[in-house]
Amino acid sequence: MLTPHSSGPTNLGAHMRVYAQGRRLSRVATSSELPILAGIACEPAASATDPSATDRAALRRVQLRRKAVLGGVILAFLAAAAVVRPVSEGTVFETALVMAGVAAIFAAIIGRAWCSLYIGGRKTHEIVDRGPYSVSRNPLYVFSFLAAFGVGAQTGSLVLTAAVLGLTVLILWRTVLREEAWLGAAFGEDYDHYRRRTPRFWPRGSAWRDEAALQVDPARFVRTVMDGAVLLLAPPIIDALATARALDLIPTLITLP
């Protein structure tokens, strides 16, 4: 029953719609993840009225294409690993290369998790220039290169190892160039200063700077570790392919160093 001062059912319905919309926006805001680019913790994507929204969408498409291409490289690599016999098969050199690869995989997993500690918890536009991001603008990609070497080394072939590493560097390098163009436009002089003092990839130890305390995002840290743990599937899968080839279940098409 409406009181004499009530604004009527029409206004009441409007107030309810506004309240429901506010609740939806609140849920979106609290559930949004912060995209990470080259040491930058960015806010959630801009609205359609933001001039940079189109650029961000284009950059996200570049990153999705990068993942798709890397997926294709992985499939091609597994196919090659199945039919290529390394010249050093059964030798001490093959064992040493495989073990070095395993060590590289573990180092990559730990390194990527370490980088995530410096990113987690950042809730505003901010250049992250401490810890690994003080010595390299792209430490996550550096550890991805290390992972690529480790996975390739599981074949015991230097040629396949170099091919996987080279393709990974090429794909990620092209992605980094697009990211840097966006970051330069978005953050201006702050990013230019960071770019001038910090190498793109190869770490500069003398530039090391650290945080007194870190604000850690546990969910992001666990997700990064779990994503990296997938790399641990490489040794048993490639070993199984080698066993199948030795048993003539898979033909050997070529022998490579």
Side-chain angles (χ1 to χ4, degrees):
M1 183 176 190
L2 298 176
T3 67
H5 300 290
S6 172
S7 58
T10 301
N11 286 347
L12 178 60
H15 288 320
M16 292 299 293
R17 286 194 297 273
V18 170
Y19 173 77
Q21 183 180 16
R23 294 284 293 174
R24 286 196 299 272
L25 291 175
S26 176
R27 287 195 294 270
V28 170
T30 56
S31 63
S32 296
E33 294 183 0
L34 305 180
I36 304 302
L37 302 175
I40 307 295
C42 302
E43 288 181 344
S47 66
T49 58
D50 188 336
S52 66
T54 301
D55 292 338
R56 293 188 184 189
L59 186 59
R60 180 56 61 92
R61 287 194 295 271
V62 169
Q63 293 174 326
L64 291 176
R65 284 197 296 269
R66 177 205 70 197
K67 293 180 179 179
V69 172
L70 283 174
V73 169
I74 291 172
L75 292 177
F77 164 72
L78 291 175
V83 299
V84 172
R85 185 180 73 84
V87 171
S88 61
E89 189 172 61
T91 67
V92 174
F93 177 80
E94 182 195 28
T95 301
L97 182 60
V98 169
M99 295 307 296
V102 170
I105 290 173
F106 275 103
I109 294 173
I110 295 171
R112 289 178 61 83
W114 175 47
C115 292
S116 75
L117 293 176
Y118 286 82
I119 291 296
R122 305 303 177 99
K123 296 183 181 298
T124 59
H125 283 78
E126 183 178 352
I127 295 178
V128 182
D129 60 354
R130 294 294 189 270
Y133 290 94
S134 68
V135 297
S136 171
R137 300 201 304 272
N138 299 279
L140 282 171
Y141 287 164
V142 172
F143 285 113
S144 293
F145 298 155
L146 190 60
F149 164 78
V151 171
Q154 299 311 297
T155 64
S157 167
L158 287 176
V159 172
L160 285 182
T161 301
V164 172
L165 178 57
L167 286 173
T168 302
V169 170
L170 177 62
I171 294 168
L172 295 184
W173 197 298
R174 289 175 60 86
T175 302
V176 164
L177 294 179
R178 294 293 296 272
E179 291 178 350
E180 288 180 345
W182 183 88
L183 292 168
F187 295 95
E189 292 185 4
D190 288 341
Y191 181 71
D192 286 340
H193 181 63
Y194 175 64
R195 180 176 55 82
R196 286 193 297 270
R197 73 172 186 264
T198 311
R200 176 179 287 152
F201 291 120
W202 190 256
R204 181 186 296 155
S206 60
W208 175 264
R209 293 187 295 176
D210 209 349
E211 295 276 16
L214 295 175
Q215 183 181 358
V216 177
D217 182 345
R220 182 182 295 278
F221 176 77
V222 171
R223 186 166 58 250
T224 302
V225 172
M226 296 304 294
D227 288 345
V230 174
L231 295 169
L232 296 176
L233 295 175
I237 289 176
I238 295 175
D239 186 62
L241 292 175
T243 300
R245 190 175 63 249
L247 295 174
D248 292 328
L249 298 177
I250 299 176
T252 299
L253 300 184
I254 188 172
T255 301
L256 293 175

